[in-house]
Coordinates of all heavy atoms in Angstrom, one line a residue:
L1 N -54.5 28.6 -48.5 CA -53.6 28.5 -49.6 C -53.7 29.7 -50.5 O -52.7 30.2 -51.1 CB -53.7 27.2 -50.4 CG -53.4 25.9 -49.6 CD1 -53.6 24.7 -50.4 CD2 -52.0 25.9 -49.0
F2 N -54.9 30.2 -50.6 CA -55.2 31.4 -51.5 C -54.7 32.6 -50.8 O -54.4 33.7 -51.4 CB -56.6 31.4 -51.9 CG -57.1 30.3 -52.7 CD1 -57.6 29.1 -52.1 CD2 -57.0 30.3 -54.1 CE1 -58.0 28.1 -52.9 CE2 -57.4 29.3 -54.9 CZ -57.9 28.1 -54.3
E3 N -54.7 32.6 -49.4 CA -54.3 33.7 -48.7 C -52.7 33.8 -48.6 O -52.2 34.9 -48.5 CB -54.8 33.6 -47.2 CG -56.3 33.7 -47.2 CD -56.9 33.2 -45.8 OE1 -56.0 32.8 -44.9 OE2 -58.1 33.1 -45.7
K4 N -52.1 32.7 -48.7 CA -50.6 32.7 -48.5 C -49.8 32.9 -49.8 O -48.7 33.3 -49.7 CB -50.2 31.3 -47.9 CG -50.6 31.2 -46.4 CD -49.9 32.1 -45.5 CE -50.3 31.9 -44.0 NZ -49.5 32.9 -43.1
F5 N -50.4 32.6 -50.9 CA -49.7 32.6 -52.2 C -50.3 33.6 -53.2 O -51.5 33.8 -53.2 CB -49.6 31.2 -52.8 CG -49.0 30.2 -51.8 CD1 -49.7 29.1 -51.3 CD2 -47.7 30.3 -51.5 CE1 -49.1 28.2 -50.5 CE2 -47.1 29.4 -50.6 CZ -47.8 28.4 -50.1
D6 N -49.5 34.1 -54.0 CA -49.9 35.1 -55.0 C -50.9 34.6 -56.0 O -50.7 33.5 -56.6 CB -48.6 35.6 -55.7 CG -48.9 36.8 -56.6 OD1 -50.0 37.1 -56.9 OD2 -47.9 37.4 -57.1
K7 N -52.0 35.3 -56.1 CA -53.1 34.8 -57.0 C -52.6 34.6 -58.5 O -53.0 33.7 -59.2 CB -54.2 35.9 -57.0 CG -55.4 35.5 -57.9 CD -56.5 36.6 -57.7 CE -57.7 36.2 -58.5 NZ -58.8 37.2 -58.4
D8 N -51.6 35.4 -58.9 CA -51.1 35.3 -60.3 C -50.3 34.1 -60.5 O -50.1 33.7 -61.7 CB -50.2 36.5 -60.6 CG -51.0 37.8 -60.7 OD1 -52.2 37.7 -61.0 OD2 -50.4 38.9 -60.6
K9 N -49.9 33.4 -59.5 CA -49.1 32.2 -59.6 C -50.0 30.9 -59.3 O -49.4 29.8 -59.3 CB -47.9 32.2 -58.7 CG -46.9 33.3 -59.0 CD -45.6 33.1 -58.3 CE -45.7 33.2 -56.8 NZ -44.5 33.0 -56.1
I10 N -51.2 31.1 -59.1 CA -52.1 30.0 -58.8 C -53.0 29.6 -60.0 O -53.6 30.4 -60.7 CB -53.0 30.3 -57.6 CG1 -52.2 30.5 -56.4 CG2 -54.1 29.2 -57.4 CD1 -53.1 31.0 -55.2
Y11 N -53.0 28.3 -60.3 CA -53.8 27.7 -61.4 C -54.7 26.6 -60.8 O -54.2 25.8 -60.0 CB -52.9 27.2 -62.5 CG -52.0 28.2 -63.1 CD1 -50.8 28.5 -62.6 CD2 -52.5 29.0 -64.2 CE1 -50.0 29.5 -63.1 CE2 -51.7 30.0 -64.8 CZ -50.4 30.2 -64.2 OH -49.6 31.2 -64.8
L12 N -55.9 26.6 -61.2 CA -56.9 25.7 -60.6 C -57.4 24.7 -61.6 O -57.4 24.9 -62.8 CB -58.1 26.5 -60.1 CG -57.8 27.6 -59.0 CD1 -59.0 28.3 -58.5 CD2 -57.0 27.0 -57.9
T13 N -57.8 23.6 -61.1 CA -58.5 22.5 -61.8 C -59.8 22.1 -61.1 O -60.0 22.5 -59.9 CB -57.6 21.3 -62.0 OG1 -57.5 20.6 -60.7 CG2 -56.3 21.6 -62.5
E14 N -60.6 21.4 -61.7 CA -61.8 20.8 -61.1 C -61.7 19.3 -60.9 O -60.9 18.7 -61.7 CB -63.1 21.1 -61.9 CG -63.4 22.6 -61.9 CD -64.8 22.8 -62.6 OE1 -65.8 22.5 -62.0 OE2 -64.8 23.2 -63.8
D15 N -62.3 18.7 -59.9 CA -62.5 17.3 -59.9 C -63.9 17.0 -59.3 O -64.3 17.6 -58.3 CB -61.4 16.6 -59.1 CG -61.5 16.9 -57.6 OD1 -61.5 18.1 -57.2 OD2 -61.5 16.0 -56.8
R16 N -64.6 16.1 -60.0 CA -66.0 15.8 -59.6 C -66.9 16.9 -59.8 O -68.1 16.8 -59.4 CB -66.0 15.2 -58.2 CG -65.1 14.0 -58.0 CD -65.3 13.4 -56.7 NE -66.6 12.8 -56.5 CZ -66.9 12.0 -55.4 NH1 -66.0 11.7 -54.5 NH2 -68.1 11.5 -55.3
T17 N -66.5 18.0 -60.5 CA -67.4 19.0 -60.9 C -67.1 19.4 -62.3 O -66.0 19.1 -62.8 CB -67.3 20.3 -60.0 OG1 -66.0 20.9 -60.1 CG2 -67.5 19.9 -58.5
A18 N -68.0 20.2 -62.9 CA -67.8 20.6 -64.3 C -68.4 22.0 -64.5 O -69.3 22.2 -65.4 CB -68.3 19.6 -65.3
Y19 N -68.1 22.9 -63.7 CA -68.7 24.3 -63.8 C -68.1 25.0 -65.0 O -68.7 25.8 -65.7 CB -68.4 25.1 -62.5 CG -69.2 24.6 -61.4 CD1 -68.6 23.8 -60.4 CD2 -70.6 24.8 -61.2 CE1 -69.3 23.4 -59.3 CE2 -71.3 24.3 -60.2 CZ -70.6 23.6 -59.2 OH -71.4 23.1 -58.1
R20 N -66.8 24.8 -65.3 CA -66.2 25.3 -66.5 C -66.4 24.4 -67.7 O -66.3 23.2 -67.5 CB -64.7 25.5 -66.3 CG -64.3 26.3 -65.1 CD -65.0 27.7 -64.9 NE -64.9 28.6 -66.0 CZ -64.0 29.6 -66.1 NH1 -63.2 29.8 -65.1 NH2 -64.0 30.4 -67.1
L21 N -66.9 24.9 -68.8 CA -67.3 24.1 -69.9 C -66.1 23.6 -70.7 O -66.2 22.6 -71.5 CB -68.3 24.8 -70.8 CG -69.6 25.1 -70.1 CD1 -70.6 25.8 -71.1 CD2 -70.3 23.9 -69.6
F22 N -64.9 24.3 -70.7 CA -63.7 23.7 -71.3 C -63.2 22.7 -70.3 O -63.6 22.6 -69.1 CB -62.7 24.8 -71.6 CG -62.3 25.7 -70.5 CD1 -61.2 25.4 -69.7 CD2 -63.0 26.9 -70.2 CE1 -60.8 26.2 -68.6 CE2 -62.6 27.7 -69.1 CZ -61.5 27.3 -68.3
N23 N -62.2 21.9 -70.7 CA -61.8 20.8 -69.9 C -60.9 21.2 -68.8 O -59.7 21.4 -69.0 CB -61.1 19.8 -70.9 CG -60.6 18.5 -70.2 OD1 -61.1 18.3 -69.1 ND2 -59.8 17.7 -70.8
T24 N -61.4 21.3 -67.6 CA -60.6 21.6 -66.4 C -60.7 20.5 -65.4 O -60.2 20.7 -64.3 CB -61.2 22.9 -65.7 OG1 -62.5 22.6 -65.2 CG2 -61.2 24.1 -66.7
R25 N -61.2 19.4 -65.7 CA -61.5 18.3 -64.7 C -60.4 17.2 -64.7 O -60.1 16.7 -65.8 CB -62.9 17.7 -65.1 CG -63.4 16.7 -64.1 CD -64.8 16.3 -64.5 NE -65.2 15.1 -63.8 CZ -66.4 15.0 -63.2 NH1 -67.2 16.0 -63.1 NH2 -66.7 13.9 -62.6
L26 N -59.9 16.9 -63.5 CA -58.9 15.9 -63.3 C -59.2 15.2 -62.0 O -59.0 15.8 -61.0 CB -57.5 16.5 -63.3 CG -56.3 15.6 -63.5 CD1 -56.4 14.8 -64.8 CD2 -55.0 16.4 -63.4
V27 N -59.8 14.0 -62.1 CA -60.2 13.3 -60.9 C -59.1 12.3 -60.5 O -58.7 11.5 -61.3 CB -61.5 12.5 -61.1 CG1 -62.0 11.8 -59.9 CG2 -62.6 13.5 -61.6
S28 N -58.6 12.4 -59.2 CA -57.6 11.5 -58.8 C -57.9 11.1 -57.3 O -58.6 11.8 -56.6 CB -56.2 12.2 -58.9 OG -56.2 13.4 -58.1
S29 N -57.2 10.1 -56.9 CA -57.4 9.6 -55.5 C -56.5 10.3 -54.6 O -56.8 10.5 -53.4 CB -57.1 8.1 -55.4 OG -58.0 7.4 -56.2
S30 N -55.3 10.8 -55.1 CA -54.4 11.5 -54.2 C -53.6 12.5 -55.1 O -53.7 12.5 -56.3 CB -53.4 10.6 -53.5 OG -52.4 10.1 -54.5
V31 N -52.9 13.4 -54.4 CA -52.2 14.5 -55.1 C -51.0 13.9 -56.0 O -50.6 14.6 -56.9 CB -51.7 15.5 -54.1 CG1 -50.6 15.0 -53.2 CG2 -51.3 16.8 -54.8
G32 N -50.5 12.7 -55.6 CA -49.4 12.2 -56.4 C -49.7 11.9 -57.8 O -49.0 12.3 -58.7
E33 N -50.8 11.2 -58.0 CA -51.2 10.9 -59.4 C -51.8 12.1 -60.1 O -51.7 12.2 -61.4 CB -52.2 9.7 -59.5 CG -53.5 9.9 -58.9 CD -53.6 9.4 -57.5 OE1 -52.5 9.4 -56.8 OE2 -54.7 9.1 -57.0
F34 N -52.3 13.1 -59.4 CA -52.7 14.4 -59.9 C -51.5 15.1 -60.6 O -51.5 15.5 -61.7 CB -53.3 15.2 -58.8 CG -53.6 16.6 -59.2 CD1 -54.8 16.9 -59.8 CD2 -52.8 17.7 -58.9 CE1 -55.1 18.3 -60.2 CE2 -53.1 19.0 -59.2 CZ -54.2 19.3 -59.9
A35 N -50.4 15.1 -59.8 CA -49.1 15.8 -60.3 C -48.6 15.0 -61.5 O -48.1 15.6 -62.5 CB -48.1 15.8 -59.2
Y36 N -48.7 13.7 -61.5 CA -48.3 12.9 -62.6 C -49.1 13.2 -63.9 O -48.5 13.3 -64.9 CB -48.4 11.4 -62.2 CG -48.2 10.4 -63.3 CD1 -47.0 10.3 -63.9 CD2 -49.2 9.5 -63.6 CE1 -46.8 9.3 -64.9 CE2 -49.0 8.5 -64.6 CZ -47.8 8.5 -65.3 OH -47.6 7.5 -66.2
A37 N -50.4 13.3 -63.7 CA -51.2 13.6 -64.9 C -50.9 14.9 -65.5 O -50.9 15.1 -66.7 CB -52.7 13.6 -64.5
I38 N -50.5 15.9 -64.7 CA -50.1 17.2 -65.2 C -48.9 17.1 -66.1 O -48.8 17.7 -67.2 CB -49.8 18.2 -64.0 CG1 -51.1 18.5 -63.2 CG2 -49.2 19.5 -64.6 CD1 -52.2 19.2 -63.9
S39 N -47.9 16.3 -65.7 CA -46.7 16.1 -66.5 C -47.1 15.5 -67.8 O -46.5 15.9 -68.9 CB -45.7 15.3 -65.7 OG -44.5 15.1 -66.4
L40 N -47.9 14.5 -67.8 CA -48.3 13.8 -69.0 C -49.1 14.7 -70.0 O -48.8 14.8 -71.2 CB -49.1 12.6 -68.7 CG -48.4 11.4 -68.0 CD1 -49.5 10.3 -67.8 CD2 -47.3 10.9 -68.8
I41 N -50.0 15.5 -69.4 CA -50.9 16.3 -70.2 C -50.0 17.4 -70.9 O -50.3 17.7 -72.1 CB -51.9 17.0 -69.3 CG1 -53.0 16.0 -68.9 CG2 -52.6 18.2 -70.0 CD1 -53.9 16.5 -67.8
F42 N -49.0 17.9 -70.2 CA -48.2 19.0 -70.8 C -47.0 18.4 -71.6 O -46.1 19.1 -71.9 CB -47.7 20.0 -69.7 CG -48.8 21.0 -69.4 CD1 -49.8 20.7 -68.4 CD2 -48.9 22.2 -70.1 CE1 -50.8 21.6 -68.1 CE2 -49.9 23.1 -69.8 CZ -50.9 22.8 -68.8
N43 N -47.1 17.1 -71.9 CA -46.3 16.5 -72.9 C -44.8 16.4 -72.6 O -44.0 16.5 -73.5 CB -46.5 17.2 -74.3 CG -46.3 16.3 -75.5 OD1 -46.7 15.1 -75.4 ND2 -45.8 16.8 -76.6
A44 N -44.5 16.2 -71.3 CA -43.1 16.0 -70.9 C -42.6 14.8 -71.5 O -43.2 13.7 -71.5 CB -43.0 15.9 -69.4

């Protein structure tokens, strides 16, 4: 996925890790609720 798409258009999160000290962690069971959380977080 990193080979196929432009690095400038890729944004990453963490789940079950916390290497970044600011809040990058979003733990989900599947990608569906992950996408849902993004919408809520960005105040849609």
Side-chain angles (χ1 to χ4, degrees):
L1 296 181
F2 296 90
E3 296 164 3
K4 291 292 183 180
F5 303 114
D6 188 344
K7 182 177 181 180
D8 288 339
K9 297 192 295 181
I10 295 175
Y11 299 87
L12 302 182
T13 69
E14 294 186 76
D15 69 306
R16 300 184 68 169
T17 65
Y19 292 104
R20 307 308 304 259
L21 295 183
F22 56 90
N23 184 13
T24 64
R25 184 173 168 131
L26 193 60
V27 181
S28 61
S29 297
S30 76
V31 67
E33 65 267 27
F34 173 83
Y36 172 60
I38 295 295
S39 181
L40 292 179
I41 288 169
F42 281 87
N43 211 31

